Amino acid sequence: MHIVRYRSDSDPRPRIAVIDEGVLSTLPVAGMFELLNHRIEDIERMCADAVPDRVLGEVRLLAPVDGATEVWAAGVTYLRSRDARVEESDLKSVYELVYDAERPELFFKSPAWRVVVDGEPVGIRSDSELNVPEPELALVVNRFEEIVGYLVCNDMSSRSVEGENPLYLPQAKMYAGACALSSGIRPAWEVDPSDLAIRLTVTREGAVIWDGTTSTRQIRRPLTELTAYLFHSENHPHGAVLSTGTGIVPELDFLLHVGDLITVSIDEVGELRNPVVAGKDHFRFLSTP
Ligand code: DO4
Ligand code: MG
């Protein structure tokens, strides 16, 4: 079962539903932001009580976040991410220090309206030479700091911008098309997240040019440590999505090209497929209702 946002031809308003084997059961909430205002046991009960009312072929799935829900991300939570950043950066020690530090690296990634979903393009900056996808498990957290579900996230990143100076991190991480999420939230009561395989495949002109795998077992910190820091000094009244960092980073000579297809899949959570484009003009659709 997954929880999705959808729109149908008969009703322009986005709705929230549970989907199971292609059948949707709409939930009695105004948006995902309202669902994330509930405790996990209420969300589970709402999902169990929902009545089937349409099928997948009748709807378009939307990004799984709305309202004031923000996407945040953690960094350098896998050894591979630490090593890759030490290699690319002129200032190595910041990554070595943060991997071992008590306080994790957390950064703002995207407001809900900038998120792209499965099938939509992801972007590379027009001023960046070295760009990579970052396949990550993302946590969906309600306003009470409970992990209510899981998503697949691609934390698109410019390695050349970040590598030049870590203070450029916001520009390396936040730009048009940089945040992709899978459409369906896998409920937390159905999944044990402690050892899920994460896979990245990059396809160019029909051929796989790069692939890699890791497991959530490799993450250095408990997931609840990351959510605790996210809520430590900030309120998230519409809940939040927290991406947990990448354990897969291609070698430094790997460059994404326009037209590449990126596929990220996480066992039991979902799959995310996005073609690569360059520049902000491709993302005007995000700001038109
Ligand atoms: O330190 C920069 C960002 C790290 C990151 O996004 C990751 O490790 O996934
Ligand atoms: Mg990342």
Side-chain angles (χ1 to χ4, degrees):
M1 175 203 286
H2 287 83
I3 303 171
V4 293
R5 281 177 74 234
Y6 75 86
R7 184 176 279 147
S8 64
D9 286 345
S10 56
D11 183 354
R13 280 170 301 182
R15 301 280 184 184
I16 309 300
V18 286
I19 180 167
D20 205 2
E21 295 183 359
V23 177
L24 281 84
S25 307
T26 303
L27 300 178
V29 288
M32 204 62 91
F33 68 91
E34 191 183 319
L35 196 71
L36 297 179
N37 249 305
H38 289 270
R39 292 234 172 234
I40 187 165
E41 62 263 27
D42 297 335
I43 299 175
E44 185 173 357
R45 195 173 322 109
M46 236 186 269
C47 291
D49 291 348
V51 178
D53 56 0
R54 62 194 69 228
V55 293
L56 185 56
E58 297 168 6
V59 305
R60 185 161 74 86
L61 296 182
L62 306 171
V65 279
D66 55 18
T69 304
E70 296 164 346
V71 182
W72 287 68
V76 199
T77 50
Y78 290 77
L79 190 58
R80 173 63 192 137
S81 180
R82 189 201 83 149
D83 291 348
R85 290 184 153 83
V86 166
E87 191 186 359
E88 85 195 7
S89 177
D90 296 339
L91 286 155
K92 302 178 186 323
S93 63
V94 286
Y95 298 103
E96 290 164 338
L97 289 172
V98 83
Y99 181 75
D100 291 322
E102 188 178 331
R103 183 191 292 275
E105 177 197 357
L106 297 184
F107 56 92
F108 180 75
K109 181 70 185 173
S110 181
W113 70 270
R114 290 192 197 276
V115 170
V116 299
V117 75
D118 187 46
E120 291 177 343
V122 286
I124 54 181
R125 293 182 65 102
S126 50
D127 59 356
S128 164
E129 309 86 60
L130 188 47
N131 307 285
V132 283
E134 291 192 359
E136 305 185 4
L137 176 74
L139 316 174
V140 181
V141 191
N142 65 11
R143 66 176 297 200
F144 305 104
E145 206 183 305
E146 297 168 316
I147 298 172
V148 302
Y150 304 99
L151 287 163
V152 181
C153 177
N154 177 356
D155 169 27
M156 289 287 291
S157 303
S158 163
R159 290 187 83 177
S160 40
V161 171
E162 182 184 340
E164 191 179 338
N165 188 323
L167 292 180
Y168 295 152
L169 188 77
Q171 293 173 78
K173 295 286 188 179
M174 283 173 268
Y175 58 86
C179 181
L181 294 175
S182 56
S183 51
I185 299 173
R186 185 77 201 272
W189 58 89
E190 294 190 341
V191 183
D192 172 1
S194 58
D195 188 11
L196 301 175
I198 303 179
R199 286 184 202 81
L200 167 67
T201 307
V202 182
T203 309
R204 186 169 297 160
E205 291 166 7
V208 173
I209 54 152
W210 204 90
D211 65 356
T213 59
T214 188
S215 162
T216 54
R217 193 163 24 98
Q218 305 293 331
I219 194 164
R220 199 188 91 62
R221 297 169 189 270
L223 302 180
T224 49
E225 184 182 309
L226 298 176
T227 55
Y229 269 96
L230 185 66
F231 279 73
H232 187 278
S233 292
E234 187 56 285
N235 301 307
H236 295 276
H238 288 177
V241 172
L242 177 56
S243 198
T244 57
T246 189
I248 303 176
V249 185
E251 303 73 32
L252 263 178
D253 60 1
F254 172 83
L255 305 180
L256 271 180
H257 287 187
V258 167
D260 288 353
L261 179 67
I262 300 168
T263 305
V264 181
S265 62
I266 304 182
D267 281 358
E268 299 186 55
V269 176
E271 189 173 85
L272 178 59
R273 286 159 64 88
N274 306 94
V276 176
V277 298
K280 63 180 185 174
D281 289 346
H282 295 275
F283 296 95
R284 296 207 192 281
F285 72 91
L286 291 172
S287 46
T288 45

